[in-house]
Amino acid sequence: MSWQPSNDPVLGDPHSCDALELVIVPRTRDLGDGFEVRRALPHGKRQMVGPFIFFDHFGPVQFLSGKGMDVRPHPHIGLATVTYLFDGAIMHRDSEGNIREIEPGAMNLMTAGRGIAHSERTPDLQRQNGQKMLGLQSWIALPAGKEEIAPTFQHYAASDLPTVSDRGISARIIAGRAFGATSPVAMVSPWFYVEVTAQAGVNVPLDPDQEERAIYIVDGEIEIAGDRYEGPRLLVFRPGDRITVKTLTAARMMFLGGDALEGPRHIWWNFVSSSKERIEQAKQDWKSGRFAPVPNEHEFIPLPE
């Protein structure tokens, strides 16, 4: 996915809970062929939650036989991408030679650092048969001193990630620590990301230990301190307060956040950096073909003009 300022999300519902800082309603954008994304971050009033600087919710979309997603090779710097699926599959290829089919529940963390290019396409089998797709893509901004690290890719199958189930709640710890369990994913700064599914009428705690926290409601309706919220919504909380989420219907949520970075970031297209000059260099590097190519790819997305 790519970011452009014209696609900013909008402010959401008024709220009375003292611990709740901001409610964001993702703005929907059709990318063609009925493929929609809902963008929650960045927002004019909140660039990041912890290091999360970009948060897209895509689908649900049903691709017919012979159709699929084709995101041609494009570059990134200064960030890590997390692609997380509920339905469907995506074939990831990058300029470091990594090829991986991303499946529901798996964790895929591509750390761009000083620069990487990748493509995202529907795998051949799913393109032939058609598939339903629903998922999230997030960008994690890298901290000072780590923005230019070497690019890497980590993949953990759903079965490799810890899960916690209790009294109508199920949580998969995608990154960081939550619900007493720790993900095996290596990170360059402290952050957490958890998929939580819950039956109607249960209480789900949001750990107060994290510096910055948010809940993205994928679907369902919840209540917090007497106020009701339904998906899709991003609820951003102030630090320190203990939060209890009551589910009014069956719900799927993403708990996310972490330590705040030392300062804001510049973001342009697929580039994130603490330096405007570094972004200008990345623009010229992509325009001039100085990024390493993605093997077996013969297309690319040109630099926006």
Side-chain angles (χ1 to χ4, degrees):
M1 307 303 166
S2 299
W3 176 84
Q4 293 294 337
S6 61
N7 302 324
D8 281 352
V10 297
L11 281 175
D13 316 298
H15 51 274
S16 60
C17 173
D18 289 341
L20 190 54
E21 179 180 311
L22 194 65
V23 179
I24 297 171
V25 179
R27 177 169 291 177
T28 300
R29 181 188 180 200
D30 192 333
L31 300 183
D33 295 325
F35 188 69
E36 293 185 341
V37 298
R38 299 173 178 85
R39 184 150 300 155
L41 289 174
H43 184 273
K45 291 193 173 182
R46 187 77 188 225
Q47 186 186 50
M48 289 182 275
V49 177
F52 283 80
I53 196 169
F54 176 97
F55 197 94
D56 257 10
H57 174 184
F58 54 89
V61 60
Q62 177 66 55
F63 288 115
L64 301 177
S65 176
K67 301 291 186 179
M69 184 178 79
D70 284 294
V71 181
R72 293 166 291 158
H74 58 282
H76 291 287
I77 66 164
L79 57 87
T81 66
V82 181
T83 301
Y84 190 77
L85 297 178
F86 305 118
D87 285 304
I90 295 174
M91 184 62 74
H92 164 97
R93 293 183 176 88
D94 66 44
S95 52
E96 293 294 299
N98 297 296
I99 302 174
R100 177 66 68 168
E101 184 171 324
I102 303 172
E103 298 177 326
M107 166 53 154
N108 299 270
L109 181 67
M110 184 186 74
T111 302
R114 61 176 176 250
I116 199 169
H118 74 134
S119 64
E120 301 159 288
R121 299 183 185 272
T122 297
D124 292 341
L125 180 61
Q126 288 83 352
R127 188 184 299 272
Q128 178 181 336
N129 297 333
Q131 71 165 345
K132 180 181 178 182
M133 181 174 289
L134 175 64
L136 304 167
Q137 189 169 79
S138 307
W139 294 355
I140 310 299
L142 301 180
K146 301 291 186 180
E147 293 179 275
E148 296 296 319
I149 61 177
T152 60
F153 182 78
Q154 297 180 67
H155 173 86
Y156 289 88
S159 59
D160 296 330
L161 300 174
T163 58
V164 177
S165 298
D166 182 47
R167 299 179 185 180
I169 302 168
S170 180
R172 175 176 286 117
I173 293 69
I174 304 164
R177 180 173 176 80
F179 297 96
T182 302
S183 167
V185 173
M187 301 178 294
V188 297
S189 68
W191 53 280
F192 76 105
Y193 197 27
V194 183
E195 178 191 2
V196 178
T197 55
Q199 300 173 5
V202 301
N203 293 324
V204 187
L206 176 61
D207 194 332
D209 295 340
Q210 301 288 343
E211 182 179 359
E212 296 190 350
R213 305 164 297 164
I215 293 175
Y216 185 78
I217 310 167
V218 180
D219 52 55
E221 185 176 7
I222 66 172
E223 179 180 290
I224 300 174
D227 295 320
R228 296 187 173 202
Y229 305 96
E230 63 181 4
R233 294 283 191 282
L234 180 68
L235 312 180
V236 183
F237 297 91
R238 296 185 175 87
D241 294 301
R242 185 171 296 277
I243 305 299
T244 299
V245 177
K246 180 180 179 181
T247 55
L248 301 178
T249 67
R252 173 159 34 203
M253 301 168 282
M254 306 302 290
F255 288 11
L256 61 114
D259 288 2
L261 295 189
E262 73 291 338
R265 291 292 185 267
H266 303 287
I267 178 171
W268 188 89
W269 192 37
N270 302 314
F271 305 137
V272 171
S273 179
S274 57
S275 164
K276 287 184 177 180
E277 292 75 18
R278 180 65 182 92
I279 287 181
E280 291 303 314
Q281 178 189 332
K283 290 181 185 181
Q284 293 307 312
D285 287 346
W286 183 248
K287 193 172 183 178
S288 302
R290 289 192 288 266
F291 274 80
V294 179
N296 300 316
E297 287 276 12
H298 306 289
E299 301 176 292
F300 67 94
I301 300 177
L303 188 78
E305 298 293 343

